[in-house]
C-alpha cells in the first residue's frame, strides 16, 4: 500500500486523466486481490471513487474549440477565431 | 587587279565592332527569346550580390548561365553542383566582351529520378547527424489538452483533422496557418514549429502539448517543402511531441523520419493524437463497477472471517484458567530463582569476608617488620663502625715510628762526617801549598830586601815611615833603618843646604 499512499499525496484534482485512470485501475487490482487490510481498503475505495469522478469530469470537459494563431506586429502570439470552410 | 580587289568593299557595309556586337546580341535575343534547356549545373557560384553564375553542360557542350538575385529567391529548388535541371530562360550576350549566356527565369529538377536521388542523399546526410535517431523520439501525451496544427488554413486538411478529433475526443486546437507548397513554404513551416515551441507554458495562449504538421496529397514537387533541410531540423528539434502527416499513405517526406510519429494521413494524425472519449468513459465506468464489486466482496469476506474466528474463540473462562496456571507456575519459578540468587550472593559475601584480615593482625605485622628493620639498622651501624676501625688501625700501622727515623738520620750523619773527615786533609794541603808560594812572593818584595841593596827608611818616634822632607821638623827625633840595623838620630837646625847634603 506504500505506493498507493504515496500517490495519495497528490490531490486527485491535480492528476491528469491518464494518471487518474492508471491509479484507479491499480486500486481496483489491489482491492480485487483482497489482500489489503480493511482500513486501507476503505480509504482505497474512497480514493477510487474520487478518481472515477475526476476521470469522468475530465472526459466531460471535452469540448471542441478551434483558434487561429496570429502574430501581432510586436511579435507576440495571439489567437483569433478560426472558421473552417465547410 | 587592284580595282577588282577594291570593288567588293563597296558592296559589303562596313560595321563598327559595337554595331556587330549589338547585332549579334539582337539576333541571339530574337532567336532564343524563350527556351527550355536541360543540362547539369556545374561551377555553381552564388556571388555576394546574390546573383548566381554557373555553367550548364552536357557530354559535348557547355554554356554560361546566370540567374539574377530577384529570380534566385523565386526558384523552387536550390541550385547545387551536379544537379540535373531543366532551365527556362532567354539567351543574351554581353556586348563589352561578346560573351553570350543563358539568363535563367525558372529552374526545375530534370525528372523524378534526379529529385529522388537528391532526396536520398539529403536523407543520408541528416541521418548521419543523428536527426532520425530512435532515442530522439518523444512519447506522445496520452490525452493532449491543446493541439497545435501547422497546415494551410484553407483546404480539406484542417477540416479532416477537426472532424476526426471531434469524433474521438474534442480538443482545443490552435491552427498556425502556413503555405504548404511553393516558395517560402519551408520557411513558414519552420517558423510555425519553432513558434509553438517558443510559447511559454501557462501563457495567455495555451502552449500545445502536441503538434501536428499536415498537408494533403500532391506531387513530389508539391511536397518538397517537407523535404527541406530547415523544416526537417525544426521537426527534429521540437520539444513538443510532433506528428507528421504529409500527403497520402504512400508519400514519404523527410520530416516523417524526424518526427516522433508518422501518420499516413491528416485524419490518421487525429486518430493518433487523441484516444476515443467513449472508450475511456467505458473504461472508467468499468473500473468503477470493479471498485464497488471488489469492495463489497472484501467487506463480505472480512465479515465472514470475523464470524468464523469468533466461533473459534471458545470459552473465555477456560482461557483464563490456563493463563492463571501459567502465571502461578511462572511466579513460583520466579521466587525460587530469587532465593537462589540471594543465597549465591550471601555465600560470596561470606567468602569475601573471610578473606578480610583483622586490623590488629595488620598492626602486628607492621610492628614485626619495624622491629626487624631497626635491628638490621643497629647491626649495620656496628658493622660499619668496625669496618672504619679496622681501616684506621691499618693506616696507623702503616705510620713509621719516630725513634727508628732518628736512628736512620744518625747513621746518615755519621756517614757524612766520615766522608767529611776524609775530605779535610786534602783541602788544607792545597791551601798550605798556596801559602808558601805566597810567602815566597812576599819575601821577594819585602822592604828589608830593598834596604839591603843600600836604601834606608826614616821613621818618626812612633815608628811611622816618613817619606817627605817637609814632614821633618828641626830637632825631631827619628830612627834610621838600614840593611843591617837601626840608628836613632835628631834632625839638625842647619840650613836647608846642609839638610840636603845629608842625603
Amino acid at each position: 500500500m506504500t505506493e498507493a499512499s504515496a500517490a495519495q499525496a497528490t490531490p486527485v484534482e491535480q492528476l491528469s486523466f491518464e494518471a487518474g485512470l492508471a491509479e484507479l485501475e491499480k486500486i481496483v487490482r489491489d482491492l480485487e486481490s483482497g489482500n489489503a487490510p480493511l482500513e486501507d481498503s476503505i480509504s482505497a475505495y474512497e480514493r477510487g471513487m474520487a478518481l472515477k469522478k475526476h476521470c469522468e469530469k475530465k472526459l466531460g470537459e471535452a469540448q471542441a474549440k478551434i483558434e487561429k494563431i496570429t502574430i501581432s506586429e510586436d511579435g507576440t502570439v495571439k489567437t483569433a477565431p478560426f472558421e473552417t470552410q465547410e | 587587279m587592284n580595282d577588282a580587289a577594291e570593288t567588293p568593299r563597296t558592296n559589303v557595309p562596313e560595321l563598327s565592332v559595337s554595331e556587330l556586337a549589338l547585332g549579334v546580341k539582337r539576333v541571339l535575343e530574337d532567336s532564343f527569346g524563350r527556351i527550355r534547356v536541360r543540362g547539369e549545373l556545374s561551377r555553381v557560384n552564388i556571388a555576394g550580390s546574390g546573383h548566381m553564375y554557373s555553367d550548364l553542360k552536357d557530354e559535348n557542350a557547355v554554356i554560361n548561365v546566370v540567374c539574377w538575385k530577384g529570380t534566385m529567391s523565386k526558384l523552387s529548388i536550390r541550385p547545387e553542383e551536379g544537379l540535373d535541371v531543366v532551365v527556362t530562360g532567354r539567351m543574351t550576350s554581353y556586348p563589352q566582351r561578346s560573351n553570350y549566356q543563358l539568363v535563367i527565369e525558372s529552374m526545375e529538377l530534370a525528372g523524378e529520378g534526379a529529385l529522388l536521388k537528391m532526396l536520398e542523399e539529403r536523407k543520408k546526410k541528416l541521418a548521419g547527424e543523428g536527426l532520425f535517431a530512435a532515442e530522439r523520439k518523444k512519447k506522445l501525451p496520452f490525452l493532449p489538452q491543446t493541439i497545435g496544427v501547422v497546415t494551410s488554413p484553407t483546404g480539406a486538411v484542417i477540416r479532416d483533422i477537426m472532424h476526426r478529433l471531434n469524433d474521438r475526443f474534442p480538443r482545443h486546437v490552435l491552427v498556425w496557418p502556413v503555405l504548404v507548397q511553393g516558395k517560402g513554404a519551408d520557411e513558414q513551416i519552420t517558423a510555425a514549429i519553432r513558434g509553438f515551441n517558443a510559447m511559454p507554458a501557462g501563457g495567455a495562449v495555451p502552449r500545445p502539448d502536441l503538434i501536428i504538421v499536415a498537408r494533403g496529397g500532391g506531387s513530389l514537387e508539391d511536397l518538397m517543402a517537407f523535404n527541406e533541410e530547415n523544416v526537417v531540423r525544426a521537426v527534429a528539434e521540437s520539444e513538443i511531441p510532433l506528428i507528421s502527416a504529409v500527403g497520402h499513405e504512400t508519400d514519404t517526406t523527410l520530416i516523417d523520419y524526424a518526427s516522433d510519429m508518422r501518420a499516413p494521413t491528416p485524419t490518421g494524425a487525429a486518430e493518433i493524437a487523441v484516444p476515443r472519449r467513449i472508450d475511456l468513459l467505458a473504461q472508467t465506468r468499468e473500473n468503477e463497477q470493479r471498485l464497488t464489486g471488489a469492495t463489497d466482496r472484501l467487506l463480505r469476506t472480512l465479515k465472514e472471517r470475523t464470524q468464523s474466528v469468533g466461533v473459534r474463540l471458545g470459552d473465555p473462562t477456560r482461557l483464563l484458567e490456563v493463563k492463571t496456571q501459567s502465571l502461578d507456575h511462572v511466579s513460583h519459578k520466579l521466587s525460587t530463582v530469587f532465593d537462589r540468587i540471594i543465597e549465591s550472593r550471601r555465600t560470596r559475601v561470606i567468602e569475601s569476608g573471610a578473606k578480610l584480615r583483622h586490623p590488629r593482625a595488620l598492626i602486628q605485622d607492621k610492628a614485626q617488620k619495624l622491629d626487624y628493620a631497626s635491628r638490621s639498622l643497629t647491626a649495620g651501624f656496628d658493622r660499619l663502625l668496625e669496618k672504619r676501625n679496622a681501616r684506621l688501625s691499618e693506616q696507623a700501622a702503616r705510620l713509621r715510628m719516630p725513634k727508628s727515623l732518628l736512628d736512620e738520620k744518625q747513621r746518615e750523619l755519621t756517614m757524612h762526617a766520615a766522608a767529611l773527615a776524609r775530605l779535610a786533609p786534602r783541602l788544607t794541603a792545597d791551601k798550605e801549598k798556596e801559602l808558601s808560594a805566597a810567602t815566597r812572593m812576599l819575601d821577594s818584595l819585602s822592604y828589608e830586601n830593598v834596604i839591603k841593596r843600600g836604601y834606608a827608611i826614616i821613621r818618626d818616634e812612633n815608628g811611622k815611615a816618613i817619606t817627605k822632607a817637609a814632614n821633618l821638623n828641626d830637632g825631631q827625633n827619628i830612627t834610621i833603618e838600614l840593611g843591617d840595623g837601626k840608628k836613632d838620630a835628631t834632625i839638625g837646625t842647619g840650613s836647608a843646604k846642609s839638610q840636603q847634603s845629608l842625603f
Side-chain angles (χ1 to χ4, degrees):
Chain A
M1 288 305 280
T2 48
E3 253 181 85
S5 47
Q8 276 167 19
T10 315
V12 167
E13 298 72 38
Q14 291 176 19
L15 288 172
S16 70
F17 173 85
E18 191 185 10
L21 184 63
E23 197 190 331
L24 175 58
E25 286 180 332
K26 188 186 178 315
I27 287 173
V28 169
R29 278 198 308 276
D30 286 345
L31 284 176
E32 282 176 343
S33 77
N35 293 329
L38 180 62
E39 287 301 317
D40 291 350
S41 298
I42 288 167
S43 56
Y45 172 79
E46 283 168 357
R47 174 129 176 127
M49 287 308 279
L51 288 166
K52 173 246 161 192
K53 278 199 190 103
H54 176 66
C55 287
E56 276 187 342
K57 183 165 164 271
K58 283 261 170 194
L59 294 173
E61 274 169 8
Q63 200 180 357
K65 184 178 175 191
I66 182 161
E67 286 175 310
K68 180 172 73 176
I69 295 285
T70 59
I71 312 279
S72 55
E73 279 180 17
D74 62 355
T76 52
V77 174
K78 287 186 176 165
T79 55
F82 181 87
E83 276 92 34
T84 47
Q85 295 96 339
E86 290 287 336
Chain B
M1 281 289 282
N2 277 348
D3 284 346
E6 279 171 12
T7 356
R9 280 175 66 188
T10 54
N11 291 345
V12 182
E14 186 184 282
L15 299 174
S16 69
V17 175
S18 294
E19 281 170 335
L20 176 59
L22 284 168
V24 169
K25 181 179 161 77
R26 204 175 304 122
V27 171
L28 267 176
E29 287 178 353
D30 288 349
S31 309
F32 304 101
R34 181 167 175 82
I35 47 166
R36 289 185 85 221
V37 193
R38 177 173 177 167
E40 185 189 325
L41 283 176
S42 168
R43 300 201 301 125
V44 176
N45 171 30
I46 296 165
S49 59
H51 309 321
M52 180 195 77
Y53 303 97
S54 178
D55 287 345
L56 197 61
K57 65 175 187 182
D58 62 14
E59 296 81 27
N60 302 314
V62 175
I63 191 167
N64 294 148
V65 294
V66 61
C67 185
W68 307 124
K69 185 185 174 187
T71 317
M72 278 292 283
S73 62
K74 285 188 218 134
L75 292 181
S76 64
I77 58 166
R78 204 157 289 145
E80 278 173 43
E81 188 79 25
L83 269 190
D84 194 8
V85 292
V86 177
V87 168
T88 309
R90 58 190 166 84
M91 287 305 293
T92 184
S93 89
Y94 178 51
Q96 278 92 335
R97 306 189 66 178
S98 283
N99 284 349
Y100 62 87
Q101 56 193 11
L102 172 60
V103 179
I104 295 171
E105 277 159 7
S106 75
M107 187 191 286
E108 57 205 77
L109 285 167
E112 236 173 43
L115 188 57
L116 288 175
K117 185 166 162 266
M118 189 198 77
L119 287 180
E120 194 52 44
E121 273 160 18
R122 190 177 291 167
K123 182 183 158 193
K124 239 183 256 168
K125 177 190 155 201
L126 297 174
E129 288 181 32
L131 259 55
F132 307 153
E135 56 268 25
R136 286 186 74 121
K137 309 284 182 206
K138 291 169 289 294
K139 192 176 170 287
L140 303 183
F142 177 77
L143 179 61
Q145 289 298 310
T146 307
I147 301 171
V149 180
V150 178
T151 194
S152 162
T154 58
V157 171
I158 187 63
R159 228 170 40 224
D160 288 350
I161 290 174
M162 289 311 293
H163 263 141
R164 191 50 58 96
L165 280 180
N166 291 344
D167 283 351
R168 291 173 68 86
F169 206 128
R171 296 282 77 182
H172 184 192
V173 172
L174 293 173
V175 179
W176 196 302
V178 293
L179 279 176
V180 292
Q181 74 181 70
K183 185 63 203 170
D186 56 336
E187 277 151 27
Q188 288 190 13
I189 297 163
T190 302
I193 295 168
R194 299 235 155 98
F196 274 139
N197 274 281
M199 283 165 62
V205 181
R207 187 182 198 243
D209 41 10
L210 181 71
I211 296 176
I212 297 173
V213 178
R215 193 207 183 281
S219 70
L220 187 54
E221 270 97 0
D222 290 343
L223 305 184
M224 268 310 282
F226 300 89
N227 287 318
E228 291 302 336
E229 204 171 306
N230 53 351
V231 180
V232 177
R233 286 188 193 281
V235 167
E237 284 159 19
S238 175
E239 283 168 20
I240 302 170
L242 187 146
I243 300 172
S244 64
V246 178
H248 296 303
E249 204 144 346
T250 50
D251 299 327
T252 300
T253 56
L254 291 186
I255 71 159
D256 291 332
Y257 299 105
S259 66
D260 298 304
M261 183 71 80
R262 182 215 174 212
T265 59
T267 304
E271 282 172 9
I272 293 168
V274 293
R276 272 163 57 94
R277 180 171 165 271
I278 198 152
D279 292 347
L280 293 179
L281 265 177
Q283 205 179 333
T284 309
R285 299 252 158 87
E286 190 207 321
N287 272 302
E288 183 196 4
Q289 276 167 15
R290 280 167 65 189
L291 180 70
T292 316
T295 309
D296 279 352
R297 261 198 316 284
L298 185 72
L299 286 177
R300 231 181 5 256
T301 313
L302 285 175
K303 202 166 154 193
E304 280 164 15
R305 269 170 63 191
T306 313
Q307 278 168 355
S308 83
V309 169
V311 169
R312 274 155 51 199
L313 264 179
D315 186 356
T317 46
R318 203 173 310 149
L319 274 174
L320 199 61
E321 276 164 16
V322 175
K323 293 289 172 196
T324 311
Q325 204 175 358
S326 303
L327 182 62
D328 285 346
H329 181 66
V330 170
S331 64
H332 173 71
K333 243 164 93 180
L334 184 65
S335 63
T336 315
V337 166
F338 191 64
D339 284 351
R340 237 193 345 259
I341 288 170
I342 299 256
E343 191 52 41
S344 129
R345 290 288 152 93
R346 183 179 292 145
T347 312
R348 277 173 61 190
V349 168
I350 291 167
E351 277 170 5
S352 308
K355 280 185 200 152
L356 271 179
R357 295 187 64 197
H358 193 277
R360 199 182 297 134
L362 285 173
I363 291 173
Q364 255 173 12
D365 211 20
K366 296 283 170 185
Q368 223 164 37
K369 275 189 183 156
L370 182 61
D371 189 32
Y372 175 73
S374 70
R375 263 183 299 169
S376 303
L377 186 62
T378 318
F381 188 67
D382 286 351
R383 255 200 314 281
L384 186 67
L385 213 57
E386 254 170 50
K387 231 167 139 185
R388 290 286 155 95
N389 259 334
R391 272 174 67 188
L392 191 59
S393 36
E394 203 182 311
Q395 280 170 350
R398 267 158 52 191
L399 270 178
R400 235 175 279 134
M401 290 306 283
K403 190 174 169 304
S404 60
L405 192 64
L406 208 59
D407 286 348
E408 200 178 309
K409 295 291 169 191
Q410 187 79 53
R411 267 195 309 278
E412 277 174 24
L413 187 59
T414 318
M415 225 148 64
H416 292 317
L420 197 61
R422 274 194 308 277
L423 286 169
R426 236 188 294 170
L427 280 174
T428 47
D430 291 348
K431 293 299 169 191
E432 269 166 15
K433 270 182 218 159
E434 280 171 30
L435 186 56
S436 64
T439 305
R440 274 191 306 273
M441 178 78 82
L442 194 58
D443 280 351
S444 68
L445 295 172
S446 166
Y447 72 92
E448 289 169 352
N449 289 333
V450 171
I451 299 170
K452 280 171 190 166
R453 287 188 323 237
Y455 297 92
I457 299 172
I458 301 167
R459 299 185 190 268
D460 65 10
E461 298 103 321
N462 297 325
K464 198 177 168 196
I466 296 166
T467 57
K468 283 178 178 169
N471 291 347
L472 290 171
N473 298 320
D474 290 341
Q476 189 175 351
N477 297 323
I478 61 164
T479 310
I480 302 164
E481 192 177 346
L482 295 164
D484 59 342
K486 297 171 190 185
K487 283 283 175 208
D488 292 334
T490 307
I491 298 295
T493 52
S495 69
K497 247 181 202 173
S498 56
Q499 277 176 344
Q500 278 173 346
S501 61
L502 195 65
F503 290 93

